[in-house]
């Protein structure tokens, strides 16, 4: 949630002055934790994409297809299991992974096209 959304959410239910100080403090602590988790998720995704970029270059160098449906199915099943263990909706986890996979494939296709055309892949 962005700061403006947070402010909108606070004003839509009750003015900040009317919120009990303990509740306001707990909201602040929870939101700080959420912000930290969001930052960690972004950094983990950045690391993941660095690895998948290297995979894309390796595939392009060896004329392998950008997509690997067998690997993708394994990853989806694995992630659904992890989500279930973590008490996270496995359907949500699958949607998230499918979104990530689509982006990775798009990157791999661009890397393969750049390799085929003799142009350097653009960094992301």
């Amino acid at each position: 949630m962005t700061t403006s959304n947070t402010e909108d959410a606070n004003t839509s239910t009750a003015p900040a002055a009317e919120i009990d100080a303990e509740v306001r403090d707990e909201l602040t602590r929870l939101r700080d934790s959420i912000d930290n988790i969001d930052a960690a998720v972004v950094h983990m995704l950045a690391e993941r994409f660095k690895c998948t970029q290297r995979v894309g270059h390796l595939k392009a160098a060896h004329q392998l297809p950008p997509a690997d449906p067998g690997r993708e199915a394994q990853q989806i099943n694995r992630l659904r299991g992890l989500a279930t263990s973590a008490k996270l909706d496995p359907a949500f986890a699958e949607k998230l992974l499918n979104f990530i996979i689509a982006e990775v494939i798009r990157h791999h296709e661009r890397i393969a096209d750049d390799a085929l055309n003799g142009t350097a892949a653009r960094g992301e």
Side-chain angles (χ1 to χ4, degrees), residues 30-88:
L30 290 169
R31 288 175 175 158
D32 287 347
S33 291
I34 290 166
D35 292 349
N36 289 338
I37 292 165
D38 288 346
V41 167
V42 167
H43 288 282
M44 293 299 294
L45 283 171
E47 283 300 310
R48 189 185 197 287
F49 277 98
K50 286 177 189 174
C51 291
T52 61
Q53 289 287 356
R54 291 193 300 263
V55 167
H57 286 284
L58 188 60
K59 284 180 172 184
H62 295 280
Q63 292 82 43
L64 297 170
D68 184 345
R71 166 75 175 161
E72 294 159 20
Q74 288 173 338
Q75 285 298 92
I76 289 168
N77 288 334
R78 179 178 164 274
L79 197 68
R80 286 184 68 89
L82 289 169
T84 299
S85 296
K87 303 202 181 334
L88 179 68

Side-chain angles (χ1 to χ4, degrees), residues 59-61 63 108-121:
K59 284 180 172 184
Q63 292 82 43
H108 289 186
E109 289 170 343
R110 188 173 59 239
I111 291 167
D113 287 345
D114 289 345
L116 185 64
N117 296 324
T119 58

Side-chain angles (χ1 to χ4, degrees), residues 6 10 16 19-36:
T6 302
N10 284 342
I19 298 174
D20 182 89
E22 288 181 34
V23 172
R24 190 174 46 250
D25 291 346
E26 182 65 9
L27 281 171
T28 298
R29 281 191 296 276
L30 290 169
R31 288 175 175 158
D32 287 347
S33 291
I34 290 166
D35 292 349
N36 289 338

Side-chain angles (χ1 to χ4, degrees), residues 95-114:
K95 287 177 190 175
L96 177 61
L97 187 60
N98 280 328
F99 178 78
I100 292 168
I101 288 170
E103 187 68 8
V104 167
I105 291 170
R106 188 179 69 79
H107 291 186
H108 289 186
E109 289 170 343
R110 188 173 59 239
I111 291 167
D113 287 345
D114 289 345

